[in-house]
Amino acid sequence: QVRLVESGGGFVQAGGSLRLSCAASGRTFSSYAMGWFRQAPGKEREFVAAITGNTYYADSVKGRFIISRDNAENTVYLQMNSLKPEDTAVYYCAAGRTAWIKTTTGYNYWGQGTQVTVSS
């Protein structure tokens, strides 16, 4: 069992930055693929970024967002730069042992989400 707790969301103006954190419980954190997804009102949850030994990004955030992990601290981060109003969503952290890292079905554990709001 893995418990995930996100933090770092908030309100920011367009062009600004935020860093999301996801703290994980459990002693096998390093063996999990970690992902960030987001869900805007009325839309489906969508892939944002993932990290295994490599990093993966949605085209919409490539070059602006950076995913990283600290296995010693059981934490994964999402640095979000040059934020746009269309980045507004609830952001979710997820953990899984999967090759399907860009799909929600590839993950077994989810956090509760943190709201990110970007004003124009």
Side-chain angles (χ1 to χ4, degrees):
Q1 190 76 8
V2 177
R3 183 170 176 260
L4 304 172
V5 179
E6 301 100 333
S7 60
F11 184 92
V12 65
Q13 290 189 329
S17 298
L18 284 173
R19 188 175 82 154
L20 305 183
S21 299
C22 173
S25 66
R27 293 177 288 179
T28 59
F29 172 76
S30 62
S31 69
Y32 284 89
M34 299 299 297
W36 286 97
F37 289 75
R38 66 187 181 188
Q39 188 166 19
K43 295 188 176 182
E44 292 187 354
R45 193 169 296 189
E46 65 174 7
F47 171 75
V48 175
I51 185 167
T52 56
N54 297 313
T55 56
Y56 306 85
Y57 297 94
D59 288 343
S60 59
V61 307
K62 201 171 293 183
R64 299 189 298 123
F65 290 11
I66 301 171
I67 188 171
S68 62
R69 66 191 299 164
D70 185 337
N71 289 334
E73 296 293 329
N74 280 15
T75 302
V76 62
Y77 302 97
L78 186 68
Q79 177 68 44
M80 305 187 296
N81 302 319
S82 302
L83 282 162
K84 304 176 181 179
E86 52 264 43
D87 294 319
T88 295
V90 177
Y91 282 71
Y92 296 91
C93 173
R97 290 191 173 118
T98 177
W100 306 103
I101 58 172
K102 295 186 179 181
T103 67
T104 57
T105 55
Y107 294 86
N108 304 100
Y109 304 103
W110 293 85
Q112 82 289 351
T114 185
Q115 176 70 48
V116 171
T117 303
V118 184
S119 67
S120 58

